[in-house]
Amino acid sequence: MTLHDWIDELCDALDIEAEVDEGLILDLARDAAHSVERPAAPITTYLLGYAAALHGADPERLEELAGRASALAESWGGSSGDDDFEVAEDGDEVEIDEELVDID
């Protein structure tokens, strides 16, 4: 089962028809989880959906609302507990501590 299959099945179960921009939703969830705290991710995406429904949001308005929520999360400055780890960007050299690597 793929994510698209899950979305289709979930829409059927909720008796709704919806086009879902899963990239937008997942990006917002990531921003909330990393900048606020992990439990903020599902709450943030729920509230985005609620706001979109209240405003009768078209895809452009949904993107605007998600951008506002993402900017707020990024400015929040919270911590998900992942601050001890650095994420390598594409092209960055990754340093490996040879003492910690067990090749066997």
Side-chain angles (χ1 to χ4, degrees), residues 41-85:
I43 294 167
T44 302
T45 56
Y46 169 81
L47 290 174
L48 174 65
Y50 187 76
L54 283 179
H55 296 294
D58 60 13
E60 291 79 27
R61 178 77 166 131
L62 179 64
E63 193 169 324
E64 176 195 337
L65 292 169
R68 290 160 89 190
S70 183
L72 177 62
E74 289 175 352
S75 73
W76 192 259
S79 172
S80 66
D82 295 334
D83 291 345
D84 296 338
F85 303 99

Side-chain angles (χ1 to χ4, degrees), residues 2 8 13 17 20 22 27 30 33 35 42 46 52 55 62 66 76 97:
T2 68
D8 290 341
E17 289 189 29
V20 177
E22 54 278 352
D27 287 347
R30 180 200 60 226
S35 298
Y46 169 81
H55 296 294
L62 179 64
W76 192 259
D97 187 343

